[in-house]
Every structure is written in structure tokens, then in C-alpha cells.
Amino acid sequence: MGRPVIPESRVGLVYSHRRKLVVSRKAICLADSGQELTLHVSAKESEVVMPAESVGEPIDLVPSTMSPAGRLFLALQHRQALKADWVETTVRSSVGVEAARSVAARRLLANEALQAGWTGIFDWIDLTSEEKAWIHSHQAAALGDVEQLFAHLGSMPTGGYEARVDLLLPYLTEIAADAARWLPMLTTWSKSEIPGAALVEALLRGDRLAGVRAGIEVMTTAGWTEPAERWCAALEPLSNGEPTLPPVEGCPSWTAAALRVAGLGGASIDARVGDVALLAVPLLDDLVDVGGLSASSDLDLLPRETSIYIGARVKPFSLNEEELRYIDHSDELARRLFVARDRTGLQSLVSAPSLGHYVALLDVVDGKAPDPERLDPSVMELLDVVETFRRTALDGDPGPVPSAILDDPTVWPTLSALAQRGVIPSTAGERERDPRFTSWCDLQRVIGLLWGAEWSKAAELGQALASTLSEEVYQDEALNLSAFALRALGRSEDALQVLERALEGDYTEPLLVNTSILACEVEPVRAMKLLVRMVDEAPSGDLQLAAVKRVISVWEDLPDRGQIPDEISRALAIVLKSDVEFDDYYQLSRVAAFSAPKIILDLPEPRGDRRGPYLTARAQARFMHEGDFTTAHLVREFVAVYREYGHTPWFDREWDSLMQVARDSVFVTFGEAMSWAVFWDTLNADGADLMARLDRLIYLPQAGAHMAAYYAKSNKWLADESFKKFFFLPTEEILADRNAVEQEMFERITDNLGRTLSLAGYHYLVVTRGVLADEYNNWVARLRRDAEHRYQIQNELRSNLAASMEHIEHLDRVLDRLQRLPLSMEVDRERVQPLIENVADWRKETIRLRANL
Amino acid sequence: MNLGDRRNPYVVLGVPFGASRDEASAAFARRARGLRRTPEGAKVLPNLTWALNQIDEVLKKPELALEVYRVPANSAAMMPEGSGVLNPPPVPLARRTHVSEAERSALLAQVGDEAIAGMRADIASRAQLPPR
């Protein structure tokens, strides 16, 4: 059934009709003779007939692709919006006229009505029920409404409408999901020989291969040659149970099956592991058996258990111990333990079939004769050859080394004892046969000489060998061994020169270590550079840490070490920023705090237990590095750490060090340790619980004396309250509890108090008396020339003398403590008595001056 | 280990640097054999004992003992690389599953399902509605 053709007609189009003195109106074309158009405007106006060429272009309202009847009806829907005055019945009548022209016109209108949802018109149109069912079915198919499609197709007659099956093809997947409902209809159509019905029926039924064949026929009939050919090509292998890759995507099982077939046929499936991941394990095993899956495959794409199992089959080296135990691959576990020469581990393996063999093999490694009862026969043959050669070598007539031995380097170490003794021949002939074996033998000889402490021979042979060996790895080793021998001979400088040759070109980390050891003995600065290089090149954090600790130890041993070199600072910073253990962090941060404070200041504050040592190190670093970070700040930082962490071993150690410095620092000329006096003062105020009693009794007075002397330099004096905290309180304490300390310590404390208090008192007297005397004299001088203010001046003089008396009373309190302290005669004579006299003199003078006023 | 002590415990025992406790013990036994009853034993035995103790107790991680000279520096000098009797290659696990016929049949059934579904979808993607 072809699509109805839309006749060329302007019926249904809408024009703007302009009349004199009246605004343009919307006119709809009701008839088109070709030359003339009949236009309808309104009920009041009669229809206008105009020449076609004079109506102009229609307005853009109804698509010209619609049928005339459809246009008329659509235009009618827009009548109100256009504000057109058309008579509805007139236009509808024209719809009827147009529809009545032909079945094609009615079909067109029916399609348009269905698409537009004009159900009333659709039902009115004069078409057969079958026709309408077909149109409905087509519309349902166009809209993808499979339910409606089923309903309307079900109401179609069993004959005719031969394209009906084509309505189903786009929805085969949905229809197949509901095949039970569709099959009866399709069976009926098949019987009625509706084209394509039998094929679609086959596509829906359970016979997969028959369905695919039917599908190929559908494709061929439709002219889809290329897909039909692809499916055709896939069908036969599929039928034979050996599928090739599917012709469409979205078939994972088919893909996996095809890859399996390809793998069994010799292809590598390593690059397609992801595509075979869904295969059952026995099917994967088939692939492993033929090499379709190998060690190159990425088995992580398989489920974990399968990955471990297949991994154990194709690349057992990739499994870790836990995985080997999980899969119970005890033979591989045993092998690894044997390779590691771990006899204890081997003997703890319970269920390894090869256990006896490997234990016997370990015995061979340890020098015992091979045991044919326990060893695998394939291994015995070679071991027999080795054993025979060993015996003949011991007998003094080894002959040429058997090829079997040369071909298996793993057995050479069983001859190492002989090689170390120089028993195995190292002739030019042997060297030509297998230079690698003879190089190895030669090095064994040097090692043997070293182990026998034959240093001179080892050094001579090693250096001679180095020039003859062709492989750098053997050359370097010969030099390394020679260097060791030279060092043992006390020739560390020569050893270092030899070893530095080994560092040329490629070198290993052990060579670097050995060179640093020699350099430590000869040129420590060079050793430090090598160790810093090790920090940069170390493959592990542990080795970095070891290298840093070693380089610091070398630096600390230097007699005139000076500032820590920048490269060591840098290496230290690297390690401190990494995740080192607490003890190492503490040790290294201490070094940094004093030797490279900037490192600590640039470090981020760590979390966890390392934070405490970091804070104390930072406080020390700031004290070393920042001019405005005083002893008071230092004390407060430490006290804060103590408040947070309490008495930990590391805190106590840092605190004890700091306290010792603070103690030592005050035993200088009084007045020259003001900053440490501040330390003791701050500690007394903010962290008194961290001061030991003896520190309080000795160093607070020291601090007070330093402050008094310091202030005196600028004509200031220590405040009365300060006398109390620095001197009076300690004095009262020791006097009240003299039996709590040993006699010697008591004397030391009281002596210290005597010296410091008397000094502070002396400075107090000198400064206050001097200041007040100057003031008094100034007032006196003024009195002489300023009689007018005589009264006020005299008051000032009285105030001055009153202030003097206050100071004298304070000095009395000082003298009171001094006189109560059991001081030595020397201290009393040299310090206390002069102070008493001075105070008495001042008192006398003050009293006299008062009396004169 | 005292940095001032230049003795090398591995060389004293005659084992490669980094040798295990077992190897060190075996070497000690070999070297000490018969020494106790000899005059030189009095000089040599303390050294051997010291060396064994160093390896046993002190040098837990010899690779980090940067004050100990490596003899040899390259283990390939003592143990040539490569597979062989005394360095056997990894052992592949033997097959543990049965013959796969049942799994193969199940797979082919799934393949059939995918084939017919694929065919339907392929047709559906290409099919066009007939004219009205």
C-alpha cells in the first residue's frame, strides 16, 4: 500500500485579504480551480473568487504538506487565535468535500487526524474498520506503543495488509519479552501466509539457531546485505558449538566463548582477560592448559579467588605468601623457602609434597652429599656431576669443568669453598670456555683470601683481577674486595682510591656505603658527602634514616666541626619530614634544634606523640635563631609542654639539659647574666612545680643578685617585692627547715644567700641613697635661691627624708635576714658588716637632716 | 656496634655480608671445630663468638648498618643470577578442576540466548516502518 499523495491544491491555506477602508482579514481557501481561488472570510461576506496570482503568499499557519482537508481542519482549530470570522460549518463542509474526493484523501486525513489527536474526525472519516485498524496500528508503531500495536493488529483481518509484519520489526526485543502473547497472532498470520510472519514467529520461538536463521532471511529480504552476511558467517561456527566473535556488540558470553575457542586453537588471550572473566574456572583452565593465558595476562581483571588460582598456575611468582597459603600452593611456598635458605621455615611447612626434596637440597647447599632417596631424580644427575668434580678437584686433578656445571650457575656456589681455596682451575682455556665462570672463581679466590685474613695476597690478586675482568659487576667487586684488604693492612687511603674507581660508571648502594666507611677514616668531609648522596638515592626510608644518623655521627666526631653543613641540614630535613619512629624523630630533632634551628622552624607540626619533642625542639630552635625569643619565652614554652605531656623520659631529658645550662649560666659576674636571671624568675612564676627545692634556694637568690647588679648600672634598684621572692622567702624557708638538708648543703645555701642578699642590699643602698641624695641636694640648692617657695621646698625635703627612711627600713629587713643567717666569718666581715655600717650611717644622716628641718 | 671497632663480623666468620643467623651459626660451628683444644683457639674463639653475637643480636637489619663494610658488595659475585637446580624457577600450580564439558554446554546455551537477542536487536535497529 503506497503512501497517499497530497494533491497540489491551495485549499485550506489562509491568506491575508485586504479590502478598501478595512483592515486585512484572514481568508481561508475553500476551492482551487487552478486559476482562481475561492476565499471565505466571514458569514457577512460572500465568498470571494480571486485570480490565483493576485492572492499573494499564504500566512504561515498550516503546513502545505498536509492534505487539503487536513489543512482546513487545522486552520479551523486556529480560528479564534487568528480572530478569523469564518463560519465553522462552512469550513467543515469543505473538509467533507475534500475528504469525499477519494480514498486516498480520506486516508491522508485519517493519518493526520490520528497524529493530531482529532479522534472525532478520525471516527467520522468514511474508511473501513480494517483501514482504520491499519492506520491505528501504524500510528502505534510510529509512537512505539507496543501495547496499542498489539491491540490494533489484533483487530485486523487475517488477510491483506501484507506489510503488517514490518510494524513489528522495530520492536522485536519488546515483543520477544512477551512472546507468549504474540505467538498465537503470528501463528495465525503465518497460516494466512502474511509475508514475514513465519520468520518473526521463528524469531520468537525457543529454537535459537532457527531464530537466527530466520533473522538472516529477514535481513536478506530487507536488502540488508552486509549484516546478513556477517550473521551468516557467524551462524555455522555457532551451530558447530565453536562460535567466532559475535557480529554485534553486547554479547559477553558469546565473546568469551569465541575467545575460548580462539585460545584453544592457539591464539593468546592475554590481552582479552577482561572478556573471558565470566568464564567458569574449568574453561579458564582449558585456556591455561594450552597456553592461551600466560604470565603476561592481567589477572586482576578476574574475580579475586579465580585470579589467585589462575595466577598460581601461570605466574606463581606474582603471588604473595598469603595468597599462596590461601590457595594451598605449598610446593611454591617450599621453593621460596628453599631459595631463601630458610630451613626453619621449610620444616614448619606441613603439607608440601616437595618438602623432602627441598630439605635434601638444602643439605647439599650446606655441603652434605646428595641423598638420592629424597632428591628428585632430575636433580640428582647434575648433583652427581658436581659431586664427582668436587672429589676429583680435592684429589688434585680436577680436569676441565664439566659443561653441565658451566650451564647451571646456581650450582657454582657449591664449589665456592674449593674456589676460595684456589683449587678450581682458572686457566686461559677455561676463561675462553666460560669467562663468567672463571670470573666468579677468581672472585671467590679473593674472598677466600679475605676470609683467611691473607690481606696482602687478597689486595694483590683483587687489583690484578680488576683489570682482566670484562663485566663491570665483577670488576667493581674485585676492586671492592681489594679495598677491604688494603684497609685491613692499614692503607685506608689506598683503599679509598681503589674503591673510588669502582664508583665510576654504574655503582651499587653497598659500594657507596663501603666508600663512605673508608672516607670516614681518611676524609670525613668526603664521607659526609657520600652519606648525603645515600640519603638522596636511598630506596627506603629506613636506609635514609640510617644514612642521616651516620652522617650526623661523622660530623659530630669532627674535631672542629663548626656549623652543620647545608647538605646535612637538607638531609636531616628530608628525614624529619618523613614518617620516622618516635625515638629517631626525638634524637634528630634535638640535633636540628641546636645545629640547624631553621629546619625545625620550617617543619610542619607533627601529630601524635612526636608533637611533644617537636615543641621543645622548636622552643630551643627559636631561642637559638630568633633574637626576640627570650629566656622567658623559652621557659614558658617548656612549661606548656610539661603541662600537656607531664614527666616523660624525653621531656625530663630536655628539661634537665636546659636546667643545667640555666644553672651554669648564672655563675658569672653579677649583673652579666640578666637573661638567665629572667629565666629563673619566670620559672618561679609560671612553673614553680618544675623547680627542685635546691634550685629554688640557690638560684633564685642568684637571679635576684644579677638583677640588682644589672639595675644598678642604670641607677635603678630591685623592688621590695623582688627582695621578698628572691631572698626573704628562701631565707625563711631554709631557716625554718635547716634539718631537711645536709650540713654541707645548708652551709652552701646560707653562704649563697649571704653573698647574694648582701650584694643586692648593697646595690639597693647605693642607688637609693644616691638618687635621694641628689634629689635632696637639688632641693637645697633651690631653697637658697627660691625663698618664695620655701614652704613647699621644705615639704619636698621632708618627703625625701621620709623616702630615705622607708628605704632604710627595707634595708633593716635585709640586715635582719643577713644577721639571722649563720654566715661564715668571712662573709659577715666582708659583706654584712659594711652594709650594717652603711645603713647606720645613712640612718644617722637622715635623722640629723630631719632634725635640722 | 662500636664505630671504633673495625672488625667485620661477616669476614671473621667467613660468610657473605647480610648472611642469616643460620648461616652464621653454621659458619661458627665450622670455624670453631676443634679450636677449643688448640693454642690459637684462645685468640680466635672470642673473635668468632663476638662475630656470631653481632650477627645474632646486634645486626638485626644489616642493610642499615652503614658502619659495616660489605664483603661482597654485590651478591651476584657469590650467587650468580639465573634459574637452575639450586635456584629453581617458580612452580606453577597443577590444574585442580575437572573436565569442562558441563561448563561448556552451559556457556553455549548462554551464547544461544545472546545470539537470538542480538539478532532481534539488530533487526529492530535497522527496521523502518512501512508507509501508511
Side-chain angles (χ1 to χ4, degrees), chain A residues 328-549:
Chain A
D328 194 23
H329 189 9
S330 48
D331 282 338
E332 173 60 12
L333 278 168
R335 182 199 73 87
R336 290 187 189 184
L337 288 166
F338 166 73
V339 168
R341 307 296 190 248
D342 184 351
R343 186 180 290 274
T344 312
L346 259 180
Q347 282 165 344
S348 71
L349 268 188
V350 175
S351 61
S354 53
L355 177 61
H357 165 76
Y358 286 122
V359 172
L361 212 49
L362 255 189
D363 291 339
V364 170
V365 170
D366 287 343
K368 294 186 185 152
D371 178 358
E373 300 292 317
R374 292 183 294 152
L375 283 168
D376 200 285
S378 62
V379 162
M380 271 308 300
E381 195 181 323
L382 176 57
L383 294 179
D384 278 341
V385 169
V386 173
E387 188 59 24
T388 305
F389 177 76
R390 194 210 318 275
R391 273 196 243 106
T392 56
L394 283 170
D395 289 342
D397 184 23
V401 179
S403 302
I405 293 178
L406 296 177
D407 291 341
D408 188 344
T410 66
V411 302
W412 298 354
T414 60
L415 302 171
S416 57
L418 296 180
Q420 286 160 17
R421 284 162 51 188
V423 171
I424 293 181
S426 178
T427 62
E430 289 293 345
R431 195 175 299 280
E432 209 175 299
R433 276 180 74 203
D434 195 319
R436 203 164 152 232
F437 177 72
T438 43
S439 296
W440 176 82
C441 279
D442 291 337
L443 283 176
Q444 289 301 311
R445 179 66 186 127
V446 178
I447 287 173
L449 290 169
L450 286 181
W451 287 350
E454 294 186 69
W455 312 125
S456 297
K457 282 187 188 170
E460 190 183 330
L461 179 58
Q463 290 181 89
L465 274 176
S467 54
T468 63
L469 296 170
S470 54
E471 288 188 49
E472 188 178 353
V473 62
Y474 288 119
Q475 277 176 3
D476 286 351
E477 192 57 48
L479 291 170
N480 175 58
L481 299 174
S482 307
F484 183 84
L486 288 168
R487 181 188 182 223
L489 290 168
R491 293 165 57 188
S492 293
E493 280 195 41
D494 293 337
L496 181 60
Q497 275 183 19
V498 165
L499 205 51
E500 286 189 330
R501 280 168 53 200
L503 282 185
E504 291 165 12
D506 290 335
Y507 61 86
T508 60
E509 170 210 300
L511 275 181
L512 207 58
V513 171
N514 290 350
T515 311
S516 75
I517 292 171
L518 293 173
C520 277
E521 294 164 10
V522 175
E523 233 183 289
V525 171
R526 170 128 172 82
M528 293 195 295
K529 285 185 164 42
L530 289 166
L531 289 164
V532 167
R533 196 157 128 195
M534 226 179 293
V535 174
D536 290 337
E537 296 176 9
S540 71
D542 282 348
L543 196 53
Q544 265 189 340
L545 175 62
V548 161
K549 286 161 87 169

Side-chain angles (χ1 to χ4, degrees), chain A residues 157-321:
Chain A
T158 51
Y161 295 94
E162 293 187 343
R164 67 177 80 185
V165 169
D166 290 347
L167 295 181
L168 307 183
L169 295 183
Y171 307 108
L172 275 180
T173 303
E174 293 88 332
I175 291 170
D178 195 11
R181 197 156 66 114
W182 283 83
L183 277 169
M185 181 162 66
L186 280 162
T187 305
T188 306
W189 290 359
S190 295
K191 286 180 185 162
S192 303
E193 296 182 358
I194 298 289
L199 295 175
V200 173
E201 187 184 0
L203 275 164
L204 298 183
R205 289 210 178 273
D207 186 334
R208 298 338 194 185
L209 290 177
V212 169
R213 284 190 202 98
I216 292 172
E217 205 175 320
V218 167
M219 288 180 168
T220 308
T221 306
W224 306 332
T225 315
E226 186 267 329
E229 283 172 359
R230 280 194 282 111
W231 276 99
C232 216
L235 179 60
E236 190 182 329
L238 193 62
S239 312
N240 295 337
E242 300 205 338
T244 52
L245 287 170
V248 290
E249 292 186 1
C251 301
S253 298
W254 192 346
T255 303
L259 289 172
R260 177 178 169 276
V261 169
L264 293 177
S268 167
I269 309 301
D270 287 342
R272 303 291 300 269
V273 174
D275 291 323
V276 297
L278 56 78
L279 289 179
V281 177
L283 298 175
L284 291 171
D285 262 335
D286 293 341
L287 287 172
V288 172
D289 289 345
V290 301
L293 280 177
S294 73
S296 305
S297 50
D298 180 5
L299 299 178
D300 288 342
L301 296 170
L302 298 175
R304 178 155 168 72
E305 262 193 51
T306 310
S307 163
I308 293 175
Y309 168 68
I310 299 296
R313 292 205 63 204
V314 299
K315 44 181 175 177
F317 55 84
S318 68
L319 268 57
N320 59 36
E321 188 184 327

Side-chain angles (χ1 to χ4, degrees), chain A residues 208 253 257, chain B residues 102-116:
Chain A
R208 298 338 194 185
S253 298
Chain B
E103 286 81 6
R104 178 178 168 273
S105 300
L107 177 65
L108 287 175
Q110 286 169 340
V111 171
D113 288 344
E114 285 180 2
I116 190 62

Side-chain angles (χ1 to χ4, degrees), chain A residues 1-115:
Chain A
M1 184 187 304
R3 174 178 165 71
V5 174
I6 296 168
E8 282 198 32
S9 166
R10 283 163 280 203
V11 170
L13 297 177
V14 178
Y15 297 88
S16 286
H17 179 59
R18 192 176 172 80
R19 299 184 62 181
K20 287 182 190 173
L21 303 179
V22 180
V23 188
S24 291
R25 312 277 292 285
K26 299 292 183 282
I28 187 166
C29 177
L30 295 182
D32 179 0
S33 67
Q35 288 83 37
E36 290 176 335
L37 304 184
T38 305
L39 303 176
H40 166 67
V41 181
S42 70
K44 292 179 189 166
E45 296 163 69
S46 51
E47 288 165 6
V48 176
V49 178
M50 291 180 69
E53 62 272 13
S54 66
V55 294
E57 289 300 315
I59 68 171
D60 193 12
L61 177 68
V62 295
S64 56
T65 50
M66 289 182 82
S67 68
R71 290 181 216 143
L72 284 166
F73 197 77
L74 180 61
L76 208 53
Q77 313 306 305
H78 293 282
R79 181 170 60 114
Q80 276 188 332
L82 287 175
K83 294 182 185 159
D85 297 320
W86 310 327
V87 178
E88 185 173 340
T89 48
T90 304
V91 177
R92 279 184 177 269
S93 169
S94 292
V95 172
V97 164
E98 291 298 323
R101 286 187 192 283
S102 65
V103 171
R106 289 194 291 284
R107 285 179 184 149
L108 276 172
L109 181 59
N111 282 319
E112 289 161 357
L114 211 55
Q115 284 169 16

Side-chain angles (χ1 to χ4, degrees), chain A residues 619-638:
Chain A
Q620 287 158 337
R622 292 186 70 187
F623 185 66
M624 302 285 293
H625 191 71
E626 294 174 19
D628 54 358
F629 192 87
T630 64
T631 50
H633 296 120
L634 184 62
V635 166
R636 288 193 190 109
E637 290 277 327
F638 265 77

